Amino acid sequence: MISFEDVRKLFTSPFLQLVSQANEVHQKYHRFADIQLCTLLSIKTGGCPEDCAYCPQAARYDTGVDAQKLLDVDFVVSTATKAKDAGATRFCMGAAWREVRDGRDFDQVLEMVSKVNDLGLEVCTTLGMITDAQAKRLKEAGLSAYNHNLDTSESYYGKIIRTREYQDRLDTLENVRQAGISVCCGGILGMGETDDDRINFLHTLANFDPQPESVPINALVPVEGTPLADAPPLDPFDFIRVIACARILMPRARVRLSAGRLSLSQEAQALAFLAGANSIFTGDTLLTTPNPAFNEDAALLKKLGVKPKAPFAMEMSLAE
Ligand code: SAM
Ligand code: DTB
Ligand code: SF4
């Protein structure tokens, strides 16, 4: 059990000391050359009944994102194939659902999972809340990981989302874990949370047993029409501080520099990698918001001398 005070001590340590410590942990558990490229696809966009204050896909906010139906399996498979050809080794499919409902749409998602898995990509989905039975079906279809974020501290959560409880999130994460699916769980910075909220959020994540295999750290992408449209911009040093803490507290996890990279300079991103981030989303769009252009990311990685991660399927065959 990692104590709240230990997390606070770490979080409040001088910036350079923290980054240096994170870097030491990073070098012990990972290789700098190993930065995983992931591609996101919104398979069901908009029209979500939830009230997440940051989200452009919530139906109740006028954000210009229209509700669409679930995408065709063939379109998804062809997008995943292109992502693989462009060097991605993980393909993440997101749906603007509160929760998964059994039926035709879920069956179609299971088919997508199975076909993307057949391409030799790690396959992740983020579909909202799921039951234990749904988690088992996803696992059987070949799902590698399920993304479900805590987003922030338990006490600040109620200020951001009122249509579900923190405990609902924890229950879904437990269902994912019990089904033998790897857990992808992180949060968003820059929503008006305090340092104590950030410490609390890191404390909760780090005390999951086992810890999450994947921790996406997002900077809020402010979207017009959402309640957080005018949130003040996040200081990149605060972003990197949380990444460094995540690396130290969860040494084996893949810490993902996720949404919000457009507001970070390439130098700030380089510092984030030194502090332990080892994954990015590539492609011009995240789910609905813009992301750095693929060519810019390729140029950045080249400048840094890092090579993308080999597909896990290849790693497995090498290990045999
Ligand atoms: N509906 C599902 C859910 O909420 O779990 C899955 C999709 S939801 C868009 C996935 C995650 O995207 C959210 O948990 C949140 O962390 C992140 N996200 C959404 N809008 C964002 C924004 N404007 N800026 C940063 N991250 C955002
Ligand atoms: C996560 O933590 N970040 C990604 C992924 N999980 C699904 C999503 C970011 C979405 C940003 C807002 C958008 O593009 O709509
Ligand atoms: Fe819906 Fe997910 Fe957006 Fe919340 S974050 S409004 S649940 S799509």
Side-chain angles (χ1 to χ4, degrees), residues 48 50 52-57 93-99 125-129 146-151 161 164 169 186-189 191 216 218-223 226 258-260 286-289:
C48 184
E50 299 286 86
C52 311
Y54 48 75
C55 188
Q57 304 199 65
M93 298 179 273
W97 287 332
R98 174 176 203 272
E99 72 231 306
T125 56
T126 180
L127 313 169
M129 295 184 266
Y146 195 84
N147 168 246
H148 203 61
N149 291 337
L150 290 181
D151 281 339
I161 299 151
R164 56 169 192 260
R169 291 308 257 189
I188 309 180
L189 304 172
M191 301 193 295
N218 300 275
L220 175 73
V221 180
V223 177
T226 63
S258 304
L286 290 160
L287 291 172
T288 65
T289 64

Side-chain angles (χ1 to χ4, degrees), residues 50-122:
E50 299 286 86
D51 71 348
C52 311
Y54 48 75
C55 188
Q57 304 199 65
R60 68 189 68 205
Y61 311 133
D62 190 6
T63 62
V65 173
D66 294 329
Q68 286 169 8
K69 286 201 311 215
L70 185 65
L71 294 180
D72 282 347
V73 175
D74 287 350
F75 179 83
V76 171
V77 174
S78 91
T79 308
T81 307
K82 284 184 203 145
K84 184 182 174 187
D85 292 345
T89 58
R90 183 168 171 116
F91 191 71
C92 310
M93 298 179 273
W97 287 332
R98 174 176 203 272
E99 72 231 306
V100 168
R101 297 219 194 106
D102 292 322
R104 247 204 349 233
D105 277 3
F106 185 43
D107 293 346
Q108 197 166 315
V109 171
L110 293 170
E111 195 184 336
M112 293 172 190
V113 168
S114 158
K115 292 197 166 151
V116 174
N117 180 49
D118 287 347
L119 295 174
L121 287 164
E122 289 180 27

Side-chain angles (χ1 to χ4, degrees), residues 241-259:
R241 180 177 291 282
V242 172
I243 285 178
C245 289
R247 168 52 65 230
I248 296 165
L249 295 166
M250 294 168 278
R252 293 177 195 282
R254 201 168 271 281
V255 176
R256 303 185 191 273
L257 185 53
S258 304

Side-chain angles (χ1 to χ4, degrees), residues 238-295:
D238 291 341
F239 197 2
I240 293 163
R241 180 177 291 282
V242 172
I243 285 178
C245 289
R247 168 52 65 230
I248 296 165
L249 295 166
M250 294 168 278
R252 293 177 195 282
R254 201 168 271 281
V255 176
R256 303 185 191 273
L257 185 53
S258 304
R261 282 196 302 120
L262 273 178
S263 59
L264 289 184
S265 67
Q266 291 204 331
E267 292 84 347
Q269 292 182 59
L271 193 51
F273 295 135
L274 274 179
N278 56 357
S279 167
I280 54 171
F281 289 112
T282 52
D284 300 351
T285 11
L286 290 160
L287 291 172
T288 65
T289 64
N291 193 46
F294 184 81
N295 292 345

